[in-house]
Amino acid sequence: MNSKDISNAIKARLLAISPAPEISWPNVEFNPGVVPRWEVTIIKNRTDPSLKGGGAIDREDGSVQIVICTAQGIGEDAGLDDLDLVRASFAKGDRFSFTGGQCTIMTEPSQSAQPFPDKTSFRLPTSFDYVANAT
Amino acid sequence: MVKYSWADIGKLADKSDKRLLVIVRQSTNDLLKGIKIAPGINRGGSRQRGVIPRDLGALAGSLQSSLSGTTSLSGPVGQTSWVGVIGSMQVGDKARFAWGGLVAPYAAAVHFGSNGVTGTFWIDVAKGKWPGYVRGAIVKAKAAVR
């Protein structure tokens, strides 16, 4: 497996959530005014290269940051239903396979900070850690 | 082969305590020292992941460091306020580091992103490096306390 395989597996699992959330990814153009929307960032903390070479890795530790953006003026708990959707798909201990590897969710998705407003949305941050191993 | 007797248990315990103290102080020091501060967007910089952007300095300077446990320390605020905590902390203490507050209420917006500008997630990036800092501190502790 390589690092991109892991990102793609996490993205695929996010995109399979029902009802499907509107998701914006780093370095992909999006309209900040569209709500509800999830802003997803995958942070790769540590990768162990494989002796196979060619960019293959044996293990990767990382975290997935999701900022749940909801409309303003509908209450401070507006993003909690979406947070439950994240929890349902990425519960602590969940494991899912992809080509060349397996990903394990290490921490329960929890509210990372107090929700806060920006110009167009009310934003609830959540995150969870994962470990991916080559199979 | 090294042989130990019951009389050595006290010495071994003391050595372990000293090593643990070195590990907890060194790894916490490396964690805080490892968080980079770079010019923000208004000063010609960009939002880099893992970095605290500094435009006027309020966010970087808003770090609040506190300690509870055998030694209680609360209140130091400032970019290097963590130094006092690390100097005082003992094994088992709970140290807390936070940015924002009244000095920089926009800290969450910068950390998690807002208004279409990406967040820099410096706390989460630092958290991800923590196991590496601990591994490094263990090596240093073994060398420093023999």
Side-chain angles (χ1 to χ4, degrees):
Chain A
M1 69 172 184
N2 61 38
S3 192
K4 199 171 179 181
D5 294 333
I6 302 163
S7 300
N8 287 339
I10 293 168
K11 285 178 182 176
R13 199 167 170 90
L14 279 165
L15 292 169
I17 289 174
S18 179
E22 177 80 20
I23 297 180
S24 38
W25 309 97
N27 200 28
V28 176
E29 194 171 339
F30 67 97
N31 180 355
V34 174
V35 287
R37 185 186 77 252
W38 298 1
E39 291 180 9
V40 178
T41 305
I42 300 173
I43 298 176
K44 294 167 183 291
N45 294 322
R46 173 190 163 198
T47 54
D48 292 344
S50 168
L51 292 174
K52 294 174 185 171
I57 56 176
D58 283 337
R59 174 183 164 133
E60 179 178 281
D61 294 24
S63 68
V64 178
Q65 308 290 326
I66 302 175
V67 180
I68 298 167
C69 308
T70 52
Q72 291 186 344
I74 59 171
E76 65 175 352
D77 56 353
L80 293 183
D81 289 340
D82 281 13
L83 178 57
D84 287 342
L85 288 177
V86 178
R87 283 186 175 136
S89 290
F90 295 93
K92 182 179 179 180
D94 273 5
R95 305 180 81 183
F96 53 95
S97 297
F98 53 93
T99 307
Q102 192 169 50
C103 188
T104 306
I105 306 305
M106 305 302 288
T107 57
E108 192 72 19
S110 59
Q111 191 175 323
S112 309
Q114 286 295 313
F116 60 96
D118 70 356
K119 286 179 186 168
T120 56
S121 64
F122 195 65
R123 305 163 69 78
L124 172 72
T126 181
S127 67
F128 58 87
D129 296 342
Y130 70 85
V131 172
N133 290 288
T135 51
Chain B
M1 183 180 168
V2 179
K3 287 187 178 178
Y4 295 102
S5 67
W6 281 109
D8 294 323
I9 287 179
K11 290 179 193 170
L12 283 170
D14 284 348
K15 189 163 91 171
S16 294
D17 284 349
K18 285 176 186 170
R19 281 186 174 175
L20 284 172
L21 187 58
V22 171
I23 291 166
V24 73
R25 286 184 174 176
Q26 183 69 51
S27 50
T28 309
N29 178 79
D30 293 348
L31 178 83
L32 274 299
K33 203 172 180 180
I35 298 173
K36 292 178 186 164
I37 298 170
I41 293 173
N42 294 332
R43 290 174 58 213
S46 61
R47 290 282 176 95
Q48 300 172 49
R49 192 172 296 168
V51 171
I52 299 176
R54 175 156 55 195
D55 284 315
L56 298 175
L59 176 57
S62 71
L63 175 60
Q64 289 177 292
S65 306
S66 59
L67 186 65
S68 55
T70 53
T71 310
S72 183
L73 190 67
S74 62
V77 178
Q79 193 177 316
T80 55
S81 60
W82 49 273
V83 173
V85 165
I86 287 162
S88 304
M89 71 193 305
Q90 300 294 321
V91 174
D93 285 354
K94 183 177 178 183
R96 182 176 180 273
F97 305 98
W99 288 264
L102 294 173
V103 180
Y106 53 90
V110 177
H111 185 271
F112 297 105
S114 66
N115 299 317
V117 180
T118 186
T120 64
F121 300 104
W122 70 87
I123 295 172
D124 296 280
V125 170
K127 185 189 82 176
K129 293 177 180 172
W130 174 251
Y133 291 135
V134 173
R135 279 194 296 274
I138 289 170
V139 174
K140 288 177 184 171
K142 282 181 176 174
V145 183
R146 292 189 172 274

